Each structure stands twice: as C-alpha cells, then as structure tokens.
Amino acid sequence: MGRRSFDLQGVWKLNKLLVISPHFDDAVLSIGQFMAERPDCEVVTIFAGVPDEPDTVHTPYDKKCGFDNARNAVGARIRENDEATALLNATTINLDFPDGQYGIEVSEERITEVLQRIVDGREYDGIYAPIGLGHPDHIKVANAVLAIETNLPVTLWEDVPIRITEPQLVPDRLKELGIKYWPTRSIFNRMYIADKVRALSCYKSQIGTGILDPYLMYVPERFYNVK
C-alpha cells in the first residue's frame, strides 16, 4: 500500500488512487460509481494527445461528434473530461499519445515507461485500470499497466459499454490474463449512480453518438484484484 500521512488533527489521510483511463470518458463510464464513493482519484488519460498537423486531420468519428479537425476534438474532450472528473472530486493527468483513430502507433512499452514514472514519482494507495475489452487502445493500456513494476495493489475493471454489448469478450479476456471470472468487488448504489450520471452528462460531444446510452450507466461496476 502507498504510504499514508497524518493531517493536522492526527487522522490518517489516504493517498490518491491512480485511475488509468484509455480515453477521456472511459474511467467515468466504467467506474464512475466507484470514483464517487472514493473522491480522491487521479485519472490519467493515456490517449489524450493530438496527431501531427491536427488542424488538417479529419476522422469519421470526430466528425460524428461534431468536430472539423483533431485539434478541436481533443481540446473539447479535455474540457469535458475536466468538468466530469471535477464533479467526482478527481484530478486529471493527460498524456500526449494520440487516440488510435489517428493511425499513429503507440507501443505498450512506451505507455508502461511513462506510467512507471508517474507511479514512481507520486504516492498512491493503488492502481485501477481496465481489463481491456475489444478496442485495441484498451487492450494495449491494460497490458501496459500489468507490466508496471510496483508493490501497489492493482485492480482491473470491466470496460463499459462493451462488457454489456459484447459480454462474451469478458471470460475470454479474463482467461487470457489469468484472472478468475468471479469479480472481487461489485458496486451498484443509487446515490453513486446519480453522481455518475451527472458526470457523464458533461461529455456532450459523445452523447449524440449513442455511446453514452443512459441504460448502460445503470449497471453494477465490477472489479478484479490482480496484484
């Protein structure tokens, strides 16, 4: 566990939890209830950078979200993410790796290297990350997290919404990672769901795409301890 300290009243203070999110909305969408329950998370978004010549890069997904180029898309998503995480009393760190949709290869080793520096340079009580379902960026992030050298406990969560829309991927991925299928924790709390929904409403550019279907928010969040 990370080292704790006393506050002025002599009460134990918890260090932050390191939450590693592939894209801007992934952490809140997958574990927003958990973040509302423990409002001292630091969310590192891995693919938060812009591609080369971002003013001239246009992707179908960015267009679907209402943006005319990558610079405007990433800038707006950073603002949305800052607003959403602030509602859950979380802080943010944005890495400069471009989203996979921009076609720039980012190695798992490079992600691990940067995350290792973050882990070594701060005091945390644990690491939370996705198990990595379906999307290549999610799989890459999960593998990179598991390669970090640390004594901190590492907990993986089930990626939403794909864990709901393609549930058959979950047991296959858990088997690949050597994790028992039964989760070590599940959260479903009306109060925390309300906090999660308020936070997710900040991702306005994503809502129109159908990804943030409200029904997908009202599900238990499931976790697996791996270290």
Side-chain angles (χ1 to χ4, degrees):
M1 295 290 286
R3 189 177 66 199
R4 296 176 174 83
S5 58
F6 286 108
D7 64 14
L8 294 178
Q9 288 75 42
V11 177
W12 281 112
K13 293 174 61 179
L14 296 174
N15 292 318
K16 288 181 177 291
L17 291 176
L18 178 61
V19 175
I20 301 172
S21 181
H23 307 106
F24 290 113
D25 57 356
D26 288 324
V28 176
L29 183 58
S30 296
I31 62 166
Q33 293 183 65
F34 170 80
M35 293 171 64
E37 179 186 57
R38 180 166 171 172
D40 55 358
C41 297
E42 188 152 62
V43 181
V44 175
T45 302
I46 302 298
F47 298 102
V50 296
D52 296 335
E53 301 181 358
D55 295 320
T56 61
V57 174
H58 312 268
T59 65
Y61 186 75
D62 282 349
K63 183 177 180 180
K64 186 176 182 180
C65 295
F67 302 112
D68 57 359
N69 60 55
R71 184 186 302 279
N72 290 338
V74 173
R77 289 181 181 141
I78 288 174
R79 292 190 293 272
E80 291 173 348
N81 193 55
D82 286 346
E83 184 180 356
T85 51
L87 286 177
L88 300 175
N89 293 310
T91 56
T92 59
I93 298 174
N94 297 321
L95 303 187
D96 59 4
F97 299 124
D99 189 313
Q101 67 168 321
Y102 298 125
I104 298 172
E105 182 61 29
V106 179
S107 69
E108 293 176 7
E109 291 76 15
R110 178 61 178 144
I111 296 171
T112 299
E113 177 185 341
V114 174
L115 289 176
Q116 187 74 59
R117 290 204 299 268
I118 292 174
V119 170
D120 292 344
R122 296 168 172 81
E123 292 185 349
Y124 296 106
D125 281 337
I127 299 172
Y128 283 73
I131 62 174
L133 295 177
H135 196 299
D137 286 352
H138 286 233
I139 295 170
K140 189 175 293 185
V141 167
N143 292 342
V145 169
L146 292 174
I148 296 172
E149 295 182 4
T150 180
N151 293 322
L152 293 172
V154 177
T155 302
L156 302 184
W157 73 71
E158 292 184 357
D159 315 46
V160 176
I162 194 168
R163 96 131 201 254
I164 303 162
T165 58
E166 299 183 55
Q168 73 280 4
L169 296 179
V170 176
D172 291 342
R173 179 59 172 164
L174 292 175
K175 183 178 180 181
E176 181 181 354
L177 295 175
I179 301 172
K180 293 182 179 180
Y181 182 71
W182 193 256
T184 52
R185 188 183 182 196
S186 180
I187 299 176
F188 189 73
N189 182 295
R190 289 184 180 180
M191 179 177 66
Y192 298 140
I193 288 175
D195 291 335
K196 176 177 181 173
V197 171
R198 280 192 289 271
L200 285 170
S201 69
C202 297
Y203 297 104
K204 294 179 176 60
S205 67
Q206 309 297 296
I207 291 173
T209 67
I211 288 179
L212 298 184
D213 185 325
Y215 291 104
L216 300 180
M217 305 176 193
Y218 294 91
V219 296
E221 298 173 354
R222 298 201 292 241
F223 302 83
Y224 302 83
N225 296 338
V226 295
K227 287 186 181 181

